[in-house]
Structures are given as structure tokens and as C-alpha cells.
Amino acid sequence: MFNKRTKIKQLLQGEQTGHEVTVMGWVRTFRNNQFIALNDGSTNNNLQVVVELGLIDDTILKRITTGASIKVDGIVVASVGKGQTIEVKAKNLEILGDSDAEKYPLQPKKHSLEFLREKAHLRFRTNTFGSVFRIRHSLAFAIHKFFNDKGFVYLHTPIITSSDAEGAGEMFRVTTLPIDGTAQKNEDGSINFKEDFFGKSTNLTVSGQLEGELGAMAFSEIYTFGPTFRAENSNTTRHLAEFWMIEPEMAFFDIEDNMNLAEEFIKYLIQYAMDNNRDDIEFLSQRLAEEEKQLPQDKRSELGLVEKLEFVLNNAFERITYTDAINILLESNHYKKKKFTYDVKWGIDLQSEHERYLVEKHFKKPVIVTGYPAAIKAFYMRMNDDGKTVAAMDILAPGIGEIVGGSQREERLEKLEARMKDMHIPAEEMSWYLDTRRFGTVPHAGFGLGFERMVQFVTGMTNIRDVIAFARTPKNCEF
Ligand code: 4AD
Ligand code: MG
């Protein structure tokens, strides 16, 4: 059996010495022909492997290079060196895979995040990305645990759809029709999608919500957690063309229940990472502090990463209406000094500069904004009694901006139909959705949490490209 090894994380947790172990991993550094820093991805802490002089042939020694993979059988001994309590004295060392030190892109020095983005196939082997992706994994696990413990059903909604859930039209088309202009056309010159694979026009999903609502109308509470796709041409540090979204949908929930669940959920995820990924968070916290030293004083965060997360855990999110938000912006010195690029008035879609002002300058904590103008929100949101705002809620987080978007849904058939008509959404194609309102409709609500934005929040990574393994952004689809 090959896999009779001890993982480095487990080994470093124990204090016992004197026993034999087998470890495998990748060489981070090799000093003085004697000290190997070995990493197997289970933790950022390297295992020190000591090779006694004369134990191994020179030809093998030369092959212990940064990036090479090795297998070591040895004895666990107390370490005299700084930084670790135990180390492994090698008895036998085998090279599993060589790594040409001249060509290996990850030299034992600090690389920029931009450089590592181009080496995304290898960057998991760095401390920063090791930490980020272990935390990402933990958060994904915690998401399932949170909902499972509450009795929610995990529903797999389709990736290929024929509807545009958000009505924003930023979709990637899915087709098997030829793209060389020979696809059959209708009389009016449009493409005849009857000839296409599904016999209609189809896209990659922008959200699993509409199908999620169908599930909630039977199971009461469901959640989705899967990839979603948006062809928005936004080259920002917060947008991906392919991102993961968690979308719970709950029958018998109003907007307030929805806000409570979302706040509880976010705090649960942060707490889970704090409890299970403490080392990685501490590492990233230090990394961030180092990075921020390069910035002018006024651009640095007031709190370190750990303090920020603790602060969010220990304080209730601020809850305000859209109208309050607009008033706060209008009354701000920032506005009076004309520092916003985009104009502020009731009815606008809040721009990220406005969101960031509210969370980072004004409230200095996460803020839940409710009651947005109907005109700027999706068709399915429940109309408020004022007839002009809807029961929408966005959660804005410091450093991120919008992290959650959700709403209470319009459960009243006539009102929903009227809204769809206003927004030119073809009711015939959505009759399956409207059926939930025809047969046993109930008040219900849900939200979508952008997974990568959540990972950004917990890891403090400023660019969303650094929290997903292989980022898809405009003009970029490597790996
Ligand atoms: O606000 P959005 O568009 O809401 C929905 O899709 C609803 N159907 C959710 C629901 O009620 N079930 O997107 C939800 C969240 C945003 O708040 C943001 O965190 C994230 O998804 N998001 C993105 N993340 C990365 N890249 C993008 N291009 C994103 N677009 C949205
Ligand atoms: Mg939104």
C-alpha cells in the first residue's frame, strides 16, 4: 500500500516523539544540504525533515529541489530548531517527482498575486493560496452543515435553462447550431431555434432561484449551491463571469425572517472558519497587514482581519431602508464636496461607491438595505403597500459591497402577472413558475449569497480572482 503516510498537519499537532512515520509532500526549500521544509497542503506549517550527512547519495541530494515531490521514512524527534516542536529525522528518502529548480516558477521568495494568477495551476502550493483554498473548502462544508442542521433540502437546479431569472439579459448562450452563419433563419431573419439542440433558445443559468421557489413550495425550505454564469462585461475586483452562489428559499418567510436568516448564516460561516481555520486566518491576517503597509495611512483598514471578523460576529448588522440610505448619502460631506462620481437621488441603483460609503465610512459594519424602488429590481419581488418600493434586501459588507441580494417574493398571482406584463416578461413561457401562485401560493422569501464574495470577506483577499481556483473574467479563460 502506498498511502500509508501521516499528514503533516496531524504530525505537527502531536508532541509524541520516538516513533517511525512516513511523510510525503513537496519540497519548499532545502538548506545546507540538510534541512528540508516539506509541505503536503494539509497546513501552511512545513515539516522540517533532517537529512544527516552521509545518509543519502549525492545524486539524490541534488534532486531535492524546490517543487520536487518526495517520500520520507524517518523518526519523529524533538526539534532543537526554532519554530517547530518536532521534526523528522530521515532514514530513507525517495524522490517521487523531480522539479527543475531553474524552470520551476515558484521560487522560494515572495511573488506578486498578479504573477501567481498567471501560474494559477501551481499557486495552490504557496502559503497564501493554501490558506485561501482550505478556507474556501471549509466554508463550502459549513454551508451544507448550516442548512442540513436546519432541515433544508439541497436542491440541484439546472445549469442550462431557457429562462432569464434576473431579467437582466446577461447570459451566455448554449447552442449546438453552427456559428458560421449557416444556421437556419426564420422569415424575419432571426435564428430558428427550433432547429437547436433543445428546440428553443437556451442559456447558462444566472440564478437557481426560480426553480428553487418550486422546491420551496413543496419542501418548505430548500437551498441551492452551485455555479452561476453572468456575461456582464465588468472587469472589477468583485465580478466573475462564473461564480458560485448559495440560494436558500423559504416558504412561510417574510422579509424580516429572510434578513434574520441571512445574518445568522453569514455569522455562522465566519464563526465556522474562525473555529476550524484559525491558523490560515491568522496567516492571511498577517499577509494583509503587510500588504496594507504599502498603502497610504487613510487607505488602510482600521481593523486587522481577525478583529474585523470578530467585530462582525459580535455586532448586529445595521438595517435601513433604501430611502434612509439615499438620505444619508445626500446629507454626507462626501456628497456635498462632490466626491461621488455618480449622482445621488431617490430612484438610482446604488453604485458601489455609495454602498462602500454607507458601510465603510458611515456605519462601519455590515448593512442590510430594504425597500428598493420597484423599477430597479427584478420582477419577482413583492410590491410594498406604497406601490413603488419592493420587499428587497441587499446586504452590504465592508470592503466588498453587495454580498447578498434577496427579497420576499410576490406571491399574489394578479400582482405578479401585472408586474411581468409591465416588464415585458412573456407569461406563456413562465406558466410553470406562475403555477406555484395558482396552486397553494404562500408568502415566501429567499436570497443569494455570492460564495466568492463571502470567501473574500473571510480571507481578506482584495481581488475575487484570488479566491476561485480558475477565474473566468472578460477576455480570460485560462486553464
Ligand atoms: O443580487 P443577485 O443578482 O441576486 C440573485 O441572483 C437572486 N436570484 C438571489 C436570490 O434571491 N435567490 O446575486 C446574488 C449575489 C450578489 O449579492 C453577489 O454577492 C453575487 O451573487 N454576485 C456575484 N458574484 C461574483 N460575480 C458576479 N458577477 C456576481 N453577480 C452577483
Ligand atoms: Mg443584486
Side-chain angles (χ1 to χ4, degrees):
M1 195 167 66
F2 193 59
N3 192 20
K4 224 176 158 190
R5 65 166 177 136
T6 307
K7 287 202 185 179
I8 290 173
K9 180 178 179 181
Q10 191 193 340
L11 198 58
L12 293 179
Q13 274 165 356
E15 308 212 317
Q16 235 192 343
T17 54
H19 55 291
E20 289 200 16
V21 286
T22 299
V23 289
M24 296 181 214
W26 292 268
V27 175
R28 285 282 174 92
T29 57
F30 186 32
R31 282 188 299 122
N32 299 347
N33 258 352
Q34 215 184 345
F35 302 107
I36 304 171
L38 191 69
N39 192 282
D40 67 359
S42 57
T43 162
N44 267 352
N45 300 315
N46 299 323
L47 174 70
Q48 172 149 293
V49 175
V50 185
V51 187
E52 297 206 323
L53 297 174
L55 176 79
I56 315 174
D57 273 13
D58 267 7
T59 49
I60 302 266
L61 274 185
K62 285 210 183 73
R63 293 167 63 197
I64 306 176
T65 53
T66 298
S69 50
I70 60 171
K71 173 182 179 197
V72 179
D73 304 304
I75 308 233
V76 180
V77 296
S79 176
V80 283
K82 267 213 324 225
Q84 69 263 329
T85 47
I86 58 130
E87 60 192 26
V88 166
K89 203 165 110 186
K91 277 174 66 182
N92 187 37
L93 189 150
E94 195 183 316
I95 306 282
L96 298 175
D98 288 290
S99 167
D100 183 337
E102 302 276 298
K103 295 193 183 133
Y104 186 56
L106 305 181
Q107 297 300 315
K109 63 162 197 174
K110 205 170 154 53
H111 291 292
S112 73
L113 295 174
E114 290 78 13
F115 171 81
L116 292 172
R117 242 167 258 155
E118 303 196 336
K119 306 281 177 237
H121 56 305
L122 294 169
R123 68 180 177 171
F124 301 123
R125 296 190 196 181
T126 63
N127 283 338
T128 298
F129 290 95
S131 290
V132 166
F133 286 96
R134 277 188 298 271
I135 292 172
R136 185 180 163 114
H137 156 78
S138 250
L139 291 173
F141 183 81
I143 284 161
H144 289 298
K145 182 158 169 48
F146 178 82
F147 288 118
N148 183 62
D149 288 352
K150 286 186 179 294
F152 282 52
V153 169
Y154 179 29
L155 191 68
H156 295 108
T157 52
I159 304 283
I160 301 175
T161 71
S162 55
S163 74
D164 175 5
E166 291 305 297
E170 289 158 330
M171 298 186 296
F172 289 100
R173 178 176 296 289
V174 174
T175 182
T176 54
L177 290 175
I179 53 166
D180 58 4
T182 59
Q184 233 185 63
K185 301 231 167 80
N186 297 316
E187 271 166 22
D188 64 358
S190 59
I191 303 278
N192 178 8
F193 284 107
K194 291 213 175 70
E195 294 298 313
D196 204 351
F197 188 91
F198 296 105
K200 53 158 79 167
S201 164
T202 51
N203 308 285
L204 293 178
T205 188
V206 293
S207 156
Q209 180 198 319
L210 301 189
E211 292 90 350
E213 283 186 55
L214 311 179
M217 291 302 112
F219 298 108
S220 301
E221 292 168 337
I222 65 95
Y223 71 105
T224 72
F225 181 13
T228 46
F229 307 86
R230 297 199 184 173
E232 39 190 349
N233 199 4
S234 317
N235 240 317
T236 77
T237 54
R238 306 178 308 124
H239 286 89
L240 291 166
E242 176 179 307
F243 65 99
W244 287 63
M245 183 153 57
I246 301 98
E247 295 186 274
E249 191 68 35
M250 296 74 63
F252 321 113
F253 260 54
D254 67 8
I255 187 76
E256 201 188 336
D257 300 318
N258 204 23
M259 286 192 268
N260 293 343
L261 183 75
E263 181 169 343
E264 183 191 343
F265 179 44
I266 290 176
K267 288 180 168 169
Y268 179 92
L269 295 182
I270 295 172
Q271 188 67 58
Y272 190 89
M274 293 280 259
D275 292 344
N276 293 277
N277 300 80
R278 193 69 199 199
D279 277 6
D280 287 323
I281 291 179
E282 302 265 0
F283 173 83
L284 292 171
S285 187
Q286 273 173 26
R287 197 202 72 85
L288 193 63
E290 285 294 316
E291 189 183 82
E292 292 205 339
K293 280 189 193 151
Q294 324 284 326
L295 299 175
Q297 193 81 40
D298 65 321
K299 290 258 155 62
R300 294 184 204 163
S301 324
E302 281 170 36
L303 300 178
L305 181 59
V306 173
E307 294 84 60
K308 177 190 82 175
L309 296 174
E310 272 163 1
F311 179 83
V312 170
L313 282 177
N314 296 328
N315 289 279
F317 293 6
E318 195 69 37
R319 297 182 182 195
I320 60 168
T321 64
Y322 169 89
T323 304
D324 294 338
I326 293 291
N327 288 336
I328 290 168
L329 293 171
L330 287 175
E331 280 157 26
S332 69
N333 277 332
H334 212 77
Y335 175 78
K336 289 175 187 155
K337 290 186 183 152
K338 301 198 167 25
K339 285 199 189 153
F340 290 121
T341 313
Y342 293 89
D343 196 19
V344 180
K345 62 169 190 273
W346 201 96
I348 59 155
D349 207 353
L350 294 179
Q351 298 295 320
S352 103
E353 57 172 353
H354 304 139
E355 298 178 339
R356 297 188 74 151
Y357 179 84
L358 290 170
V359 258
E360 285 157 35
K361 295 268 177 333
H362 192 82
F363 290 111
K364 298 184 193 288
K365 58 165 144 165
V367 178
I368 312 184
V369 183
T370 53
Y372 282 82
I376 58 168
K377 288 291 185 186
F379 73 94
Y380 51 70
M381 297 191 181
R382 192 176 198 277
M383 188 62 77
N384 286 330
D385 292 341
D386 61 13
K388 43 175 211 174
T389 62
V390 285
M393 60 161 211
D394 277 7
I395 302 186
L396 315 177
I400 307 282
E402 182 191 331
I403 194 163
V404 161
S407 67
Q408 185 172 338
R409 318 305 189 191
E410 184 55 84
E411 84 283 12
R412 299 160 296 187
L413 181 63
E414 308 76 57
K415 289 211 168 9
L416 183 57
E417 282 177 331
R419 190 87 202 287
M420 287 169 72
K421 205 165 162 214
D422 277 355
M423 296 176 78
H424 309 289
I425 296 168
E428 323 76 68
E429 285 169 29
M430 300 284 285
S431 68
W432 50 272
Y433 182 71
L434 293 171
D435 266 0
T436 54
R437 276 60 170 177
R438 291 191 185 105
F439 308 115
T441 192
V442 296
H444 64 289
F447 62 86
L449 170 71
F451 187 47
E452 283 75 19
R453 292 190 188 173
M454 186 67 209
V455 181
Q456 273 190 284
F457 191 70
V458 175
T459 59
M461 298 302 285
T462 41
N463 195 315
I464 199 165
R465 292 165 182 79
D466 296 331
V467 298
I468 188 161
F470 303 107
R472 273 78 181 92
T473 51
K475 302 279 179 289
N476 171 42
C477 193
E478 291 302 311
F479 310 103

